[in-house]
Amino acid sequence: MNTSVTNTARLLGAGLRALLVLTLVTGVLYPLAVTGIAQGLFAGKANGSEVESNGEVVGSSLIGQAYNLPLKEGQETPEPDLKWFQGRPQNGLGSNSVNTQYRLILSGATNRSADNAELVQWVKDAKAAVVKDNSVPGHPVNPADVPADAVTSSGSGLDPAISPKYADLQVQRVAEKNGLPADRVRKLVDEHTEGRTLGFMGEPRVNVLELNIALKDLAAAGR
């Protein structure tokens, strides 16, 4: 009996030591090492790819933002603030249904097929809105020129970027709303257009948050 109790105590002691060692290694040392390496080599990415403006964090380069006017009394969906470049439609998976505000608990696509009547109507409505909002005197928008990313949300519903074509389509409207020369706003788009990753992956894109920060600075400078 004493031998059995002694062996059991030894096994329990060994198990406890193993638990403590593994807890220390995997629960303390390893996380500290990974955090230290990440902060030392990739601090920006490790901290959420934060974007700053005038010394303040205004968002992440990885997550899109909505540029809307304050809700008016009786409104359920805010109107876009047309002095800013607009991102992609934000139809993703919300807490219960389609959410249009980037306030998503879950990211994801709408999961509707291409011939789904509701999705088709969303696209038609979005296209009509893009044409209406971006047609300014002397520069009407041809519906055939509206790119796909202007009327469809991304797979995550959180895409921070738009195509250069969609950014160019918005130039005349943004220039007029901000009292800026269209060629200077177009140059701003060109300066913020990124090419394909490694030259062959993905598509050229424009980060909307970074573009709007540059637009804000340009408008403030009055150039």
Side-chain angles (χ1 to χ4, degrees), residues 130-143 145-146 168-176 180-183 186:
V130 168
V131 171
K132 177 178 178 293
D133 290 343
N134 292 283
S135 292
V136 299
H139 298 278
V141 173
N142 185 339
D145 293 334
V146 177
D168 286 338
L169 184 147
Q170 301 183 62
V171 164
Q172 293 292 341
R173 182 254 299 163
V174 169
E176 181 186 81
L180 295 168
D183 59 345
R186 184 168 285 106

Short mmCIF file of all heavy atoms in Angstrom, two decimals, residues 130-143 145-146 168-176 180-183 186:
data_model
loop_
_atom_site.label_atom_id
_atom_site.label_comp_id
_atom_site.label_asym_id
_atom_site.label_seq_id
_atom_site.Cartn_x
_atom_site.Cartn_y
_atom_site.Cartn_z
N VAL A 130 -24.32 55.27 -58.13
CA VAL A 130 -22.98 55.67 -58.56
C VAL A 130 -23.07 56.65 -59.73
O VAL A 130 -22.37 57.67 -59.77
CB VAL A 130 -22.15 54.43 -58.95
CG1 VAL A 130 -20.86 54.84 -59.67
CG2 VAL A 130 -21.80 53.61 -57.71
N VAL A 131 -23.93 56.35 -60.69
CA VAL A 131 -24.11 57.23 -61.85
C VAL A 131 -24.64 58.59 -61.40
O VAL A 131 -24.13 59.64 -61.80
CB VAL A 131 -25.06 56.60 -62.88
CG1 VAL A 131 -25.42 57.61 -63.96
CG2 VAL A 131 -24.43 55.35 -63.49
N LYS A 132 -25.64 58.59 -60.55
CA LYS A 132 -26.26 59.84 -60.08
C LYS A 132 -25.28 60.66 -59.26
O LYS A 132 -25.12 61.87 -59.47
CB LYS A 132 -27.49 59.51 -59.24
CG LYS A 132 -28.19 60.73 -58.62
CD LYS A 132 -29.42 60.30 -57.85
CE LYS A 132 -30.11 61.50 -57.18
NZ LYS A 132 -29.26 62.08 -56.11
N ASP A 133 -24.61 60.03 -58.31
CA ASP A 133 -23.73 60.77 -57.39
C ASP A 133 -22.50 61.34 -58.10
O ASP A 133 -21.99 62.39 -57.69
CB ASP A 133 -23.27 59.86 -56.26
CG ASP A 133 -24.39 59.51 -55.29
OD1 ASP A 133 -25.43 60.21 -55.32
OD2 ASP A 133 -24.23 58.54 -54.53
N ASN A 134 -22.01 60.66 -59.12
CA ASN A 134 -20.75 61.07 -59.74
C ASN A 134 -20.92 61.83 -61.05
O ASN A 134 -19.92 62.24 -61.64
CB ASN A 134 -19.87 59.84 -59.96
CG ASN A 134 -19.39 59.23 -58.66
OD1 ASN A 134 -18.47 59.74 -58.03
ND2 ASN A 134 -20.02 58.14 -58.24
N SER A 135 -22.14 62.03 -61.48
CA SER A 135 -22.39 62.85 -62.67
C SER A 135 -22.45 64.32 -62.26
O SER A 135 -23.33 64.72 -61.50
CB SER A 135 -23.70 62.44 -63.34
OG SER A 135 -23.59 61.14 -63.90
N VAL A 136 -21.50 65.08 -62.73
CA VAL A 136 -21.45 66.51 -62.43
C VAL A 136 -21.60 67.26 -63.75
O VAL A 136 -21.40 66.69 -64.83
CB VAL A 136 -20.14 66.90 -61.73
CG1 VAL A 136 -20.01 66.15 -60.40
CG2 VAL A 136 -18.93 66.59 -62.61
N PRO A 137 -21.97 68.55 -63.71
CA PRO A 137 -22.15 69.32 -64.94
C PRO A 137 -20.94 69.22 -65.87
O PRO A 137 -19.81 69.47 -65.48
CB PRO A 137 -22.33 70.75 -64.42
CG PRO A 137 -22.95 70.57 -63.06
CD PRO A 137 -22.29 69.35 -62.51
N GLY A 138 -21.23 68.79 -67.10
CA GLY A 138 -20.17 68.66 -68.09
C GLY A 138 -19.46 67.32 -68.06
O GLY A 138 -18.65 67.02 -68.94
N HIS A 139 -19.75 66.51 -67.03
CA HIS A 139 -19.08 65.21 -66.90
C HIS A 139 -20.06 64.14 -66.45
O HIS A 139 -19.98 63.63 -65.32
CB HIS A 139 -17.91 65.31 -65.92
CG HIS A 139 -16.84 66.26 -66.34
ND1 HIS A 139 -15.85 65.91 -67.24
CD2 HIS A 139 -16.62 67.55 -66.00
CE1 HIS A 139 -15.05 66.95 -67.44
NE2 HIS A 139 -15.49 67.95 -66.69
N PRO A 140 -21.00 63.76 -67.32
CA PRO A 140 -21.93 62.69 -66.95
C PRO A 140 -21.22 61.35 -66.93
O PRO A 140 -20.25 61.13 -67.67
CB PRO A 140 -22.98 62.76 -68.07
CG PRO A 140 -22.21 63.29 -69.25
CD PRO A 140 -21.23 64.28 -68.68
N VAL A 141 -21.70 60.46 -66.08
CA VAL A 141 -21.12 59.12 -65.98
C VAL A 141 -21.93 58.16 -66.85
O VAL A 141 -23.15 58.08 -66.72
CB VAL A 141 -21.11 58.62 -64.52
CG1 VAL A 141 -20.67 57.16 -64.45
CG2 VAL A 141 -20.19 59.50 -63.69
N ASN A 142 -21.25 57.47 -67.72
CA ASN A 142 -21.88 56.45 -68.56
C ASN A 142 -22.06 55.18 -67.72
O ASN A 142 -21.08 54.68 -67.16
CB ASN A 142 -21.00 56.16 -69.77
CG ASN A 142 -21.66 55.20 -70.75
OD1 ASN A 142 -22.57 54.45 -70.40
ND2 ASN A 142 -21.18 55.20 -71.98
N PRO A 143 -23.27 54.65 -67.60
CA PRO A 143 -23.47 53.43 -66.81
C PRO A 143 -22.54 52.29 -67.21
O PRO A 143 -22.14 51.48 -66.37
CB PRO A 143 -24.93 53.08 -67.09
CG PRO A 143 -25.58 54.40 -67.38
CD PRO A 143 -24.54 55.17 -68.13
N ASP A 145 -19.54 52.50 -67.86
CA ASP A 145 -18.20 52.74 -67.31
C ASP A 145 -18.10 52.43 -65.82
O ASP A 145 -17.02 52.57 -65.24
CB ASP A 145 -17.79 54.19 -67.55
CG ASP A 145 -17.60 54.51 -69.03
OD1 ASP A 145 -17.30 53.57 -69.80
OD2 ASP A 145 -17.77 55.68 -69.41
N VAL A 146 -19.20 52.05 -65.20
CA VAL A 146 -19.18 51.76 -63.76
C VAL A 146 -18.54 50.38 -63.54
O VAL A 146 -19.05 49.37 -64.02
CB VAL A 146 -20.60 51.78 -63.17
CG1 VAL A 146 -20.57 51.40 -61.69
CG2 VAL A 146 -21.23 53.15 -63.35
N ASP A 168 -10.97 56.82 -60.39
CA ASP A 168 -10.98 57.82 -61.46
C ASP A 168 -12.40 58.30 -61.75
O ASP A 168 -12.62 59.48 -62.05
CB ASP A 168 -10.38 57.21 -62.74
CG ASP A 168 -8.86 57.08 -62.66
OD1 ASP A 168 -8.25 57.80 -61.85
OD2 ASP A 168 -8.30 56.26 -63.40
N LEU A 169 -13.36 57.40 -61.66
CA LEU A 169 -14.75 57.77 -61.91
C LEU A 169 -15.25 58.81 -60.91
O LEU A 169 -16.13 59.61 -61.23
CB LEU A 169 -15.61 56.50 -61.85
CG LEU A 169 -17.10 56.62 -62.17
CD1 LEU A 169 -17.59 55.35 -62.86
CD2 LEU A 169 -17.93 56.85 -60.91
N GLN A 170 -14.66 58.84 -59.72
CA GLN A 170 -15.09 59.75 -58.66
C GLN A 170 -14.36 61.09 -58.67
O GLN A 170 -14.73 62.01 -57.92
CB GLN A 170 -14.90 59.09 -57.29
CG GLN A 170 -15.66 57.79 -57.10
CD GLN A 170 -15.48 57.22 -55.71
OE1 GLN A 170 -15.85 57.84 -54.71
NE2 GLN A 170 -14.90 56.03 -55.63
N VAL A 171 -13.34 61.21 -59.50
CA VAL A 171 -12.47 62.39 -59.46
C VAL A 171 -13.22 63.69 -59.69
O VAL A 171 -13.06 64.67 -58.94
CB VAL A 171 -11.32 62.24 -60.50
CG1 VAL A 171 -10.65 63.59 -60.75
CG2 VAL A 171 -10.30 61.23 -60.00
N GLN A 172 -14.06 63.76 -60.73
CA GLN A 172 -14.75 65.01 -61.05
C GLN A 172 -15.66 65.45 -59.90
O GLN A 172 -15.70 66.63 -59.54
CB GLN A 172 -15.57 64.84 -62.33
CG GLN A 172 -14.75 64.63 -63.60
CD GLN A 172 -13.95 65.86 -63.99
OE1 GLN A 172 -14.24 66.99 -63.58
NE2 GLN A 172 -12.94 65.66 -64.82
N ARG A 173 -16.37 64.51 -59.33
CA ARG A 173 -17.27 64.83 -58.22
C ARG A 173 -16.50 65.30 -56.99
O ARG A 173 -16.85 66.30 -56.37
CB ARG A 173 -18.12 63.60 -57.88
CG ARG A 173 -19.13 63.82 -56.77
CD ARG A 173 -18.69 63.13 -55.48
NE ARG A 173 -18.56 61.70 -55.67
CZ ARG A 173 -17.88 60.92 -54.83
NH1 ARG A 173 -17.26 61.45 -53.78
NH2 ARG A 173 -17.80 59.62 -55.03
N VAL A 174 -15.44 64.60 -56.65
CA VAL A 174 -14.63 64.97 -55.48
C VAL A 174 -13.98 66.34 -55.69
O VAL A 174 -13.95 67.17 -54.77
CB VAL A 174 -13.55 63.90 -55.22
CG1 VAL A 174 -12.53 64.39 -54.19
CG2 VAL A 174 -14.19 62.60 -54.74
N ALA A 175 -13.50 66.58 -56.90
CA ALA A 175 -12.87 67.87 -57.19
C ALA A 175 -13.88 69.00 -57.04
O ALA A 175 -13.59 70.04 -56.44
CB ALA A 175 -12.28 67.85 -58.59
N GLU A 176 -15.07 68.81 -57.58
CA GLU A 176 -16.10 69.85 -57.49
C GLU A 176 -16.52 70.11 -56.05
O GLU A 176 -16.64 71.27 -55.63
CB GLU A 176 -17.32 69.45 -58.32
CG GLU A 176 -18.42 70.50 -58.30
CD GLU A 176 -19.68 70.02 -59.02
OE1 GLU A 176 -20.46 69.27 -58.40
OE2 GLU A 176 -19.85 70.40 -60.17
N LEU A 180 -11.43 71.89 -55.90
CA LEU A 180 -10.06 71.60 -56.33
C LEU A 180 -10.01 71.34 -57.82
O LEU A 180 -11.00 70.89 -58.41
CB LEU A 180 -9.53 70.37 -55.58
CG LEU A 180 -9.36 70.50 -54.08
CD1 LEU A 180 -9.11 69.13 -53.45
CD2 LEU A 180 -8.21 71.45 -53.74
N PRO A 181 -8.87 71.57 -58.46
CA PRO A 181 -8.73 71.23 -59.88
C PRO A 181 -8.80 69.71 -60.07
O PRO A 181 -8.19 68.95 -59.31
CB PRO A 181 -7.33 71.75 -60.24
CG PRO A 181 -6.98 72.72 -59.15
CD PRO A 181 -7.67 72.22 -57.92
N ALA A 182 -9.55 69.28 -61.07
CA ALA A 182 -9.72 67.85 -61.30
C ALA A 182 -8.39 67.17 -61.61
O ALA A 182 -8.16 66.03 -61.19
CB ALA A 182 -10.71 67.62 -62.45
N ASP A 183 -7.50 67.87 -62.33
CA ASP A 183 -6.23 67.23 -62.67
C ASP A 183 -5.37 66.99 -61.43
O ASP A 183 -4.62 66.01 -61.37
CB ASP A 183 -5.47 68.05 -63.71
CG ASP A 183 -5.16 69.47 -63.23
OD1 ASP A 183 -5.76 69.92 -62.23
OD2 ASP A 183 -4.31 70.13 -63.86
N ARG A 186 -6.89 63.96 -59.71
CA ARG A 186 -6.53 62.75 -60.47
C ARG A 186 -5.08 62.36 -60.21
O ARG A 186 -4.75 61.17 -60.11
CB ARG A 186 -6.76 62.99 -61.95
CG ARG A 186 -6.50 61.76 -62.82
CD ARG A 186 -7.00 61.93 -64.23
NE ARG A 186 -8.46 61.82 -64.29
CZ ARG A 186 -9.28 62.85 -64.46
NH1 ARG A 186 -8.79 64.08 -64.57
NH2 ARG A 186 -10.58 62.68 -64.51
#
